[in-house]
Amino acid sequence: MALKDKEAQKAYGRTWRQTHPEQVKANNRAWRLAHPEESRANMRAWYQAHREEAKATSRAWRLAHPKQVKANNRASHQALTAEALRVLGDKCACPGCGVSEPAFLTIDHINGRSKGTRRTQTAIREAKASGWDKTKFQTLCFNCNCAKSAHGFCPVHQKDPSDRNEHSPSANKQLVCSGL
């Protein structure tokens, strides 16, 4: 249908888009896939122009859907943890331990953590940002990680002082048993 009047064309287009929403979504999706850089630039420009509106909409959605937000956060954390274990190792790096149950594994800063990285999620994000640097991060089970944090080494699996982590602040300290 060829319309010569510009206003009639616009009205026809609006009506068509309202009556064919699925086709409009499919066409938009196909265009975004065919033009990813231009699409990304358009979205970035829109966000810059409507930043407060976008933040308010996002905030309102999060407040209205707390269960979905929690589920999304959990799924994101699980995916990130799975990726960390796949890249850094899926078993405890402590010699003699060998725990491989993902529920018991943590990401450890080999040379100690910096301030502000006290939560596992933060450590995992820091490891990912470093490109999964295996000279800075390793996989330890929770027990070995706690022992390393408290003593500088795992007293159960590393009985010989030469096995201790030389970079640990307490590597040269003598382990004193409390009689337990």
Side-chain angles (χ1 to χ4, degrees):
M1 172 179 203
L3 299 173
K4 293 184 180 182
D5 182 19
K6 290 283 186 192
E7 290 305 315
Q9 284 179 337
K10 288 180 182 180
Y12 175 78
R14 277 191 298 271
T15 304
W16 187 89
R17 284 189 297 277
Q18 289 173 351
T19 56
H20 301 87
E22 293 303 318
Q23 183 63 39
V24 170
K25 284 182 184 179
N27 290 346
N28 289 343
R29 190 175 306 117
W31 185 89
R32 284 192 308 270
L33 290 174
H35 306 90
E37 279 91 30
E38 190 175 346
S39 176
R40 199 171 300 119
N42 289 346
M43 286 188 282
R44 193 173 295 124
W46 183 91
Y47 181 79
Q48 293 299 327
H50 302 90
R51 178 176 292 193
E52 293 306 316
E53 177 187 345
K55 284 183 177 182
T57 301
S58 177
R59 190 176 306 116
W61 187 89
R62 286 192 315 272
L63 290 173
H65 302 89
K67 289 181 181 177
Q68 184 64 39
V69 170
K70 188 174 183 178
N72 290 349
N73 289 344
R74 181 178 291 123
S76 173
H77 176 70
Q78 288 172 343
L80 193 57
T81 301
E83 182 180 1
L85 295 178
R86 183 179 49 77
V87 175
L88 295 174
D90 59 354
K91 69 177 196 165
C92 182
C94 186
C97 182
V99 171
S100 61
E101 176 61 40
F104 301 130
L105 296 176
T106 61
I107 303 304
D108 172 58
H109 294 81
I110 292 175
N111 297 324
R113 62 183 176 219
S114 59
K115 290 192 183 250
T117 57
R118 301 204 178 263
R119 291 176 32 224
T120 302
Q121 184 71 12
T122 306
I124 292 174
R125 289 177 191 264
E126 186 180 339
K128 184 174 183 177
S130 75
W132 303 113
D133 187 354
K134 292 185 179 183
T135 63
K136 294 181 180 179
F137 299 94
Q138 65 184 346
T139 304
L140 290 179
C141 71
F142 189 74
N143 287 339
C144 293
N145 197 2
C146 288
K148 182 183 171 215
S149 176
H151 306 294
F153 69 103
C154 179
V156 175
H157 302 108
Q158 297 174 351
K159 298 199 186 293
D160 181 11
S162 64
D163 290 341
R164 296 180 186 180
N165 183 349
E166 64 205 43
H167 302 291
S168 171
S170 58
N172 298 323
K173 292 181 183 175
Q174 191 71 343
L175 178 63
V176 179
C177 293
S178 61
L180 295 176

